[in-house]
Amino acid sequence: MNTIIQIVLPLALAFIMFSMGLDLTLNDFKRIGKFPKAFILGFVLQFVSLPVLAFGLAAVFMKFGLAPEYAVGLVIIATCPGGVTSNMMTHLAQGDAALSIALTAVTSVVSVLTLPFLINLGLSTFMGAQNAVVLPIGKTIIGIFCITTVPVAIGMLIKHYKNKLATHWEPMARKLAAIFFVVIVMAAILKDWALIAENILTIGPMALLLNSLTMLVAFGASRLAKLDQSQTTAITYECGFQNGTLAIFITLTLLQNEKMMIPGGIYSILMFATALIYFLILRKTNQRLQTDA
């Protein structure tokens, strides 16, 4: 079973990132200049507020008996970039899809460098220097780069040189990517269901609290920065949706620790519930505004 996971999981993650590349062009990166304030805010929230919230919540829950492995698992999911699902939800909620795509693309590339350092910080902080498993920086950067950045680049090259082909296959590839994501998360959870059932009352609220606080902070910061509703929606979803497949890959393949996988697996399910709630609130608000107008 572990051998299958180590082979199938990287391939599935690579395909998910490839599907994202099929819908990206260099213009998506150039769009950053059109909304620098919104992009910088989303970038900072992704790489600063999310890890800070995760470290803080993990420290608090450890005082109530949370196992160190679960604390590290919470940090890992928080340090992962936004997933392609955030782009879809932003579009459905009539948010700024261009901003969402730009944030997903850039954070996916930058996280290759930030992930190993933040994860090692989590390992040393919550498991102690003597017990912590050290994630090799160079090997991890190369591994994540090959499985995330390279497939995105290949997808972009196909989009650039074979635009009609990419346009034709991108919708199907995105649907397959969504299926792969769901299957991976569900398989990982079912595989360790006994551990989850044993700790669900602790891990569930912890993951839900991290996701809820992340979205609330993103929403509040966006409003304080006086961004419009479409930009606020994009940033809120971008911060609320994390690449759960990448978190599962890191924990099961690189760290080979099933306990560390569980917070990310549960988070990956709960984030859809909070995203739906936010979507319904947005729709109700828009309907009220249209009625008042």
Side-chain angles (χ1 to χ4, degrees):
M1 182 65 177
N2 289 334
T3 303
I4 295 175
I5 289 175
Q6 290 177 5
I7 295 174
V8 174
L9 183 52
L11 291 175
L13 176 57
F15 181 82
I16 290 171
M17 301 308 293
F18 168 74
S19 72
M20 183 174 78
L22 286 176
D23 196 36
L24 285 177
T25 66
L26 289 177
N27 287 330
D28 291 319
F29 292 89
K30 293 178 182 177
R31 288 173 183 165
I32 295 170
K34 296 181 179 179
F35 32 70
K37 182 171 72 170
F39 178 84
I40 292 171
L41 178 61
F43 186 90
V44 171
L45 287 168
Q46 181 74 38
F47 285 107
V48 178
S49 71
L50 253 170
V52 168
L53 284 170
F55 272 93
L57 285 175
V60 170
F61 274 82
M62 277 192 69
K63 293 183 180 297
F64 294 92
L66 181 71
E69 292 87 351
Y70 297 136
V72 174
L74 192 71
V75 169
I76 291 173
I77 186 64
T79 56
C80 287
V84 293
T85 317
S86 63
N87 307 150
M88 178 188 70
M89 287 303 303
T90 298
H91 174 72
L92 291 175
Q94 298 181 337
D96 191 330
L99 173 60
S100 177
I101 290 170
L103 281 169
T104 299
V106 175
T107 55
S108 293
V109 173
V110 175
S111 64
V112 172
L113 300 175
T114 60
L115 269 167
F117 294 98
L118 290 171
I119 292 173
N120 274 337
L121 180 60
L123 287 166
S124 61
T125 300
F126 298 116
M127 299 191 70
Q130 295 180 343
N131 298 322
V133 178
V134 178
L135 199 63
I137 302 295
K139 183 179 178 181
T140 302
I141 289 176
I142 293 172
I144 295 177
F145 177 81
C146 291
I147 293 175
T148 59
T149 307
V150 171
V152 170
I154 293 173
M156 289 181 66
L157 286 172
I158 294 175
K159 175 75 172 177
H160 181 74
Y161 291 104
K162 300 289 183 179
N163 184 52
K164 288 185 178 180
L165 181 66
T167 302
H168 177 73
W169 285 106
E170 190 275 332
M172 184 180 296
R174 187 172 288 269
K175 290 176 182 177
L176 284 174
I179 292 172
F180 281 150
F181 172 79
V182 173
V183 170
I184 288 170
V185 172
M186 294 308 298
I189 288 177
L190 291 174
K191 179 177 178 293
D192 293 297
W193 179 249
L195 277 174
I196 293 175
E198 183 181 344
N199 298 275
I200 189 66
L201 293 179
T202 302
I203 300 174
M206 178 182 68
L208 180 60
L209 188 58
L210 173 62
N211 182 248
S212 301
L213 286 176
T214 295
M215 294 183 71
L216 285 171
V217 169
F219 179 86
S222 298
R223 301 312 291 171
L224 285 174
K226 297 182 179 180
L227 301 182
D228 61 36
Q229 182 174 302
S230 66
Q231 293 175 327
T232 299
T233 298
I235 291 174
T236 302
Y237 274 132
E238 195 65 30
C239 291
F241 275 93
Q242 303 309 113
N243 192 333
T245 311
L246 179 58
I248 293 172
F249 166 74
I250 291 170
T251 52
L252 293 186
T253 303
L254 299 181
L255 291 172
Q256 296 185 0
N257 190 304
E258 295 181 358
K259 283 188 175 182
M260 291 181 187
M261 176 277 301
I262 293 174
I266 294 177
Y267 184 101
S268 297
I269 293 176
L270 294 176
M271 67 185 185
F272 284 98
T274 54
L276 178 59
I277 292 172
Y278 181 53
F279 176 81
L280 293 175
I281 291 173
L282 284 174
R283 190 171 69 172
K284 187 174 182 179
T285 301
N286 289 335
Q287 289 175 345
R288 187 172 65 248
L289 289 174
Q290 291 175 1
T291 301
D292 293 341

